[in-house]
Amino acid sequence: MSNILKPSQRMKIPRQHSMEQPAADRVQNFTEVSLGLDEVLALTEASRCLECTQPICVNGCPVNVDIKAFIQLVSEHKYVDAVRKIRESNYLPAVCGRVCPQEEQCEAVCTLGKKFDPVAIGKLERFVADYELKMDQYTSPVVVERRDEKVAIVGSGPAGLTCAAELAKKGYRVTVFEALHEAGGVLRYGIPEFRLPREILDVEIDRVKSLGVELQTNFVVGRTATVDELFDSWGFSAIFLGTGAGTPHFMGIPGENLIGVYSANEFLTRVNLMKAYKFPDYDTPVRLGKRVAVIGGGNTAMDAVRTSLRLGAEKAYLVYRRSRNEIPARLEEIHHAEEEGVQFMLLTNPTRILGDERNTVKAMECLRMELGEPDASGRRKPVPVPGSEFILEVDTVIMAVGQAPNPIIQATTPGLGTGKKGTVNVNEHQQTNRPGIFAGGDLARGGATVILAMRDGKEAASAIDAYLREKITAPKSSSQG
Amino acid sequence: MFEILHKDILAPTVHRFVIRAPFIAPKRKPGNFIMLRIDRNGERIPLTLVDSNVADGTITLIVQGIGKSTRQLLTMNAGDSLQDVVGPLGNPTPILTGQTVVCVGGGVGTAELYPITKALREAGNTVYAIIGGRTKDLVILENEMRAVTTDTFVTTDDGSYGRKGLVTDQLKDLIDSTSGVTAVYAIGPLPMMKAVSAVTRPYGIHTVVSLNAIMVDGTGMCGGCRVSVNGQMKFACVDGPEFDGHQVDFDELIMRNRGYAGDERASLERFEHPADHECRMGGSK
């Protein structure tokens, strides 16, 4: 037993909070908002864990991190052992400690949380990952068995990186193909630096590479080589598709092609991947006015609207058609956005964007909404209030209304089973209908979270291992899923 | 890194580069493009693939220095390397057969048109070409085009070479004098492609244009290259880059392509006159 306090004493300790950059400072910069827990705070927080006999938090984690064990190690001041414990199940702890929606997962089921605030599991995860980095204590696990088969991973986002790491640990020869010039997928182009610093992401990717994973950037599977060419000409025995949901949706309202209308993808890619906030030291510009409206209520919308403030927007509106209760973004992101001065225009839906004589945005017409009956998602459906049109003066509009999978792979891989929204169909082991091809993350789900993508990557790695072993023992059998 | 193996100067502001890109070379088809980044601070710019050599693992690009990145590219020579090159992107040009085709190139658009013209000829079509430029220096690849066409006509805006006037003047005459022109492929500045489409519309001649929209990734991710085609939103990078010229809203795209004009000027100014801007470098970042 690592914790000397009685449960009743532990329950009296309040949840410890991360230090943060003050809102007034951080809207001026792109450095990380949350500064994490220090050692004293982390030890205090770890001492709150009730060390349940049946730690249901582990089931609440999509990749089943042994949360109880790692928190016990924190209590014993064994921080590096703690992060190694996490890495047995999750190869991106510094990322997950920052961007996972713990409040809906492990922390949602935490026993302490039934009467008090749950243990800050995510903050502890981040603390041990950052500690290991600061102390330079990372070591790669020993790979006990070397295998000859080559596995191709398509896409270097959270699903692909996780699948690659798990397969490399099993001894496979793994190559990750990435279309862009840098690895990370949505962690690179989508999530801003103020939530996930690039040095943290670079280190996590380097650690996956340290397992022997090859990274091939500037390679668009479907164009530079098709999936079938990866099998036939490149000698891969199995392929995991993790290309995400990178095709932005627009609303289909008049004025969306005006200058000053962005998809959130384009806006964030310019800033995050291409570093447009350092223009002209970096060549890529971003055009942002003084009055910015971001449409949508997800984490991408929050990222876009908070990025707008950091680029100097005087007014940054978040325009969302439902009410506060239905906003899908993480609570922490909503709080941060409010602190930073984002104006929430809830129950509001744009109907058209108006331009000036140079085809540049000058305003947006919106309708007020009210909530009606629950829809298929179980959320109350927003219904327009007749005659409630009003004009919002804006010069930039950013559409963060969802993404669909990129169609290139589906269009160039004959026979690959796809769903209605452009997703690739998979079974419970992430197998597609074509032998040897597996898929996961947003490509299969259509738009979910980093951790669910990682879960899929991990599941696929197990399934690929089973598939390849079965192929060796029974070369003629079909292991189609 | 992608090494420049060879460069030659077609005109003072138009250079041809042969670049080592062994993955792209065997996959290139007429109409494809690549995205390129010169260095670590560079932007991603789309450039049409002009040619490739599978045995050597090389691709050929022809670049006109217009903005900061393309002018920077012109300063590079054999032995230098580019940070990133990715492709081939976009849909290849559908190559018709058994037709009488006119290929119309404006300025550096002729470079992009050349592989398509060659492929049309090899597919057994009767192929004419009209290539134009503002002035003689900007008329490129005349000999190459002549070698793959029944006849090639040259126009210049200022009359310094070939017929004085626009490619559209020559096109109208050619359609009227040549029986059975069934298709036109036009690549060049947007106003030129718009004008070509206007000439062919009354004749009902199928007209293919290649749209050079602003792109960030080139793989369908950003949506920056969206264009209105027959009233529908299309992404030039994955749905194109070629579209039916009679269905494209050119005016909208011309406006959209001016969206960064101010930034482009500032970036170019700083590149051409770095000393004037030293005081600002690294400041307030």
Side-chain angles (χ1 to χ4, degrees):
Chain A
M1 194 74 145
S2 59
N3 199 327
I4 52 164
L5 298 175
K6 290 181 190 153
S8 61
Q9 293 174 302
R10 297 179 210 173
M11 289 180 201
K12 289 197 179 112
I13 304 168
R15 178 173 161 121
Q16 304 298 299
H17 293 283
S18 284
M19 298 163 290
E20 284 179 357
Q21 270 200 81
D25 294 346
R26 71 193 191 225
V27 293
Q28 312 280 338
N29 65 52
F30 277 83
T31 50
E32 194 168 14
V33 169
S34 169
L35 306 173
L37 302 174
D38 64 15
E39 187 174 356
V40 173
L41 292 174
L43 283 168
T44 308
E45 186 60 27
S47 71
R48 299 178 67 231
C49 177
L50 299 175
E51 299 177 341
C52 307
T53 319
Q54 298 288 328
I56 46 176
C57 52
V58 177
N59 304 327
C61 171
V63 296
N64 306 122
V65 166
D66 192 342
I67 294 165
K68 177 183 167 184
F70 104 73
I71 293 181
Q72 282 179 340
L73 288 164
V74 173
S75 292
E76 294 163 17
H77 299 235
K78 292 176 180 166
Y79 311 125
V80 175
D81 290 339
V83 72
R84 285 181 186 153
K85 176 58 72 182
I86 297 171
R87 212 175 269 114
E88 287 173 12
S89 319
N90 174 348
Y91 224 75
L92 306 173
V95 170
C96 287
R98 287 172 164 82
V99 306
C100 254
Q102 290 96 7
E103 65 278 8
E104 296 168 13
Q105 298 171 0
C106 52
E107 295 180 18
V109 295
C110 173
T111 308
L112 189 62
K114 285 178 185 149
K115 284 183 77 176
F116 304 94
D117 286 332
V119 175
I121 299 167
K123 300 284 186 267
L124 288 171
E125 179 181 32
R126 173 181 164 174
F127 168 73
V128 294
D130 288 359
Y131 180 90
E132 180 194 54
L133 174 60
K134 198 169 77 185
M135 296 299 166
D136 196 18
Q137 293 283 304
Y138 172 80
T139 50
S140 294
V142 179
V143 178
V144 284
E145 184 188 13
R146 287 283 165 201
R147 302 191 58 88
D148 289 334
E149 296 98 325
K150 285 166 62 182
V151 182
I153 309 291
V154 185
S156 66
L161 288 175
T162 301
C163 191
E166 296 301 322
L167 286 167
K169 284 197 283 183
K170 294 178 200 294
Y172 289 98
R173 295 159 65 198
V174 181
T175 304
V176 177
F177 293 97
E178 167 55 48
L180 292 170
H181 54 267
E182 286 188 71
V186 71
L187 305 173
R188 177 78 60 185
Y189 73 76
I191 297 179
E193 300 201 34
F194 58 81
R195 281 215 289 139
L196 177 61
R198 288 308 177 256
E199 53 271 30
I200 298 288
L201 178 59
D202 290 342
V203 165
E204 296 269 57
I205 292 168
D206 282 345
R207 287 172 181 175
V208 174
K209 284 159 77 177
S210 77
L211 297 167
V213 170
E214 299 250 352
L215 177 63
Q216 178 65 60
T217 53
N218 291 320
F219 198 108
V220 183
V221 172
R223 298 278 192 224
T224 316
T226 62
V227 164
D228 285 301
E229 285 166 341
L230 291 180
F231 282 122
D232 300 339
S233 317
W234 291 66
F236 289 100
S237 303
I239 297 176
F240 174 74
L241 305 174
T243 51
T247 300
H249 284 162
F250 288 87
M251 292 182 70
I253 58 174
E256 283 186 306
N257 284 358
L258 291 168
I259 296 167
V261 182
Y262 281 111
S263 71
N265 258 11
E266 176 178 4
F267 176 68
L268 291 170
T269 300
R270 282 179 180 271
V271 177
N272 298 334
L273 175 72
M274 306 309 297
K275 301 203 179 340
Y277 65 94
K278 295 179 179 172
F279 179 85
D281 287 340
Y282 283 73
D283 289 340
T284 305
V286 65
R287 184 194 164 92
L288 194 84
K290 294 291 172 202
R291 301 169 66 89
V292 179
V294 175
I295 320 302
N299 287 320
T300 306
M302 295 297 158
D303 287 344
V305 76
R306 295 174 66 199
T307 298
S308 302
L309 284 171
R310 283 160 175 76
L311 289 170
E314 287 164 9
K315 292 272 186 197
Y317 300 104
L318 187 107
V319 178
Y320 179 58
R321 63 197 179 123
R322 300 182 201 244
S323 78
R324 176 68 185 246
N325 293 334
E326 290 83 21
I327 295 186
R330 289 188 67 193
L331 202 55
E332 181 174 306
E333 308 308 327
I334 298 168
H335 282 318
H336 281 152
E338 283 179 328
E339 284 173 2
E340 290 167 11
V342 171
Q343 296 189 26
F344 284 66
M345 300 195 65
L346 302 171
L347 290 165
T348 303
N349 205 31
T351 45
R352 62 189 169 122
I353 305 165
L354 309 167
D356 63 15
E357 67 287 351
R358 287 185 300 172
N359 259 33
T360 302
V361 174
K362 65 171 186 185
M364 185 167 76
E365 184 189 78
C366 301
L367 264 179
R368 301 268 183 224
M369 311 294 275
E370 58 191 8
L371 292 180
E373 296 299 309
D375 65 10
S377 71
R379 296 180 298 177
R380 291 178 63 192
K381 190 179 161 69
V383 183
V385 177
S388 65
E389 288 88 350
F390 69 100
I391 299 287
L392 183 67
E393 275 187 36
V394 289
D395 47 25
T396 306
V397 176
I398 299 171
M399 292 289 174
V401 292
Q403 289 99 242
N406 189 303
I408 292 178
I409 291 206
Q410 297 87 313
T412 55
T413 310
L416 186 66
T418 54
K420 263 185 290 190
K421 290 179 176 171
T423 50
V424 170
N425 296 336
V426 292
N427 69 9
E428 70 274 24
H429 300 302
Q430 309 303 131
Q431 283 186 300
T432 71
N433 63 321
R434 279 198 47 184
I437 304 180
F438 300 75
D442 283 0
L443 174 65
R445 293 173 180 270
T449 59
V450 167
I451 189 66
L452 289 172
M454 292 175 61
R455 189 218 74 90
D456 292 354
K458 198 176 162 186
E459 177 64 36
S462 299
I464 288 169
D465 183 42
Y467 167 79
L468 293 175
R469 285 175 189 276
E470 189 185 331
K471 226 173 141 185
I472 289 171
T473 51
K476 281 178 189 165
S477 79
S478 162
S479 49
Q480 190 167 342
Chain B
M1 299 289 272
F2 297 78
E3 192 186 354
I4 298 167
L5 299 177
H6 182 76
K7 173 172 112 164
D8 53 337
I9 296 172
L10 305 182
T13 60
V14 183
H15 299 185
R16 174 162 48 199
F17 296 88
V18 176
I19 297 161
R20 205 178 125 68
F23 296 156
I24 302 171
K27 300 287 289 185
R28 179 204 68 96
K29 292 199 173 76
N32 284 147
F33 67 96
I34 51 103
M35 298 296 295
L36 165 160
R37 206 166 68 115
I38 295 174
D39 56 32
R40 290 190 161 279
N41 291 9
E43 60 183 334
R44 295 169 63 95
I45 55 169
L47 290 169
T48 301
L49 281 158
V50 174
D51 205 352
S52 61
N53 184 314
V54 179
D56 296 346
T58 61
I59 56 170
T60 302
L61 304 174
I62 294 181
V63 181
Q64 182 174 20
I66 296 170
K68 188 261 179 182
S69 293
T70 48
R71 294 217 194 164
Q72 186 183 354
L73 205 47
L74 297 195
T75 68
M76 301 182 81
N77 290 297
D80 294 338
S81 286
L82 304 171
Q83 185 71 36
D84 300 292
V85 180
V86 61
L89 301 171
N91 296 307
T93 309
I95 300 298
L96 303 169
T97 52
Q99 312 267 321
T100 300
V101 184
V102 184
C103 294
V104 188
V108 77
T110 303
E112 304 165 16
L113 191 67
Y114 169 69
I116 296 166
T117 310
K118 194 173 151 196
L120 286 166
R121 169 70 164 235
E122 285 166 358
N125 298 286
T126 303
V127 185
Y128 294 92
I130 303 168
I131 58 177
R134 275 199 320 277
T135 185
K136 184 181 177 185
D137 264 356
L138 295 172
V139 175
I140 58 169
L141 301 186
E142 182 188 346
N143 292 336
E144 286 87 340
M145 291 297 270
R146 287 199 184 282
V148 297
T149 53
T150 301
D151 203 353
T152 290
F153 304 87
V154 177
T155 67
T156 52
D157 297 8
D158 64 1
S160 56
Y161 187 56
R163 173 174 170 169
K164 183 176 193 305
L166 303 173
V167 287
T168 41
D169 304 333
Q170 182 69 55
L171 177 62
K172 197 162 184 320
D173 290 353
L174 186 63
I175 291 169
D176 289 338
S177 65
T178 310
S179 64
V181 172
T182 47
V184 169
Y185 287 71
I187 307 184
L190 288 168
M192 177 220 123
M193 291 191 283
K194 180 188 173 188
V196 166
S197 301
V199 166
T200 58
R201 186 177 281 113
Y203 296 94
I205 296 172
H206 178 59
T207 300
V208 179
V209 296
S210 178
L211 300 183
N212 46 339
I214 293 172
M215 297 179 187
V216 181
D217 64 293
T219 62
M221 234 181 71
C222 77
C225 65
R226 57 195 188 274
V227 292
S228 294
V229 180
N230 203 17
Q232 304 277 310
M233 183 191 287
K234 298 284 179 189
F235 290 179
C237 64
V238 286
D239 298 320
E242 290 168 4
F243 294 98
D244 180 341
H246 296 156
Q247 298 189 343
V248 170
D249 185 339
F250 284 103
D251 292 337
E252 178 187 88
L253 182 57
I254 288 167
M255 293 276 211
R256 282 185 65 77
N257 277 9
R258 286 185 197 141
Y260 292 94
D263 290 324
E264 285 163 4
R265 266 195 307 277
S267 189
L268 180 61
E269 170 69 14
R270 196 176 114 122
F271 174 70
E272 309 246 288
H273 304 286
D276 303 350
H277 301 270
E278 245 165 50
C279 53
R280 290 206 333 236
M281 286 176 76
S284 69
K285 291 293 181 294

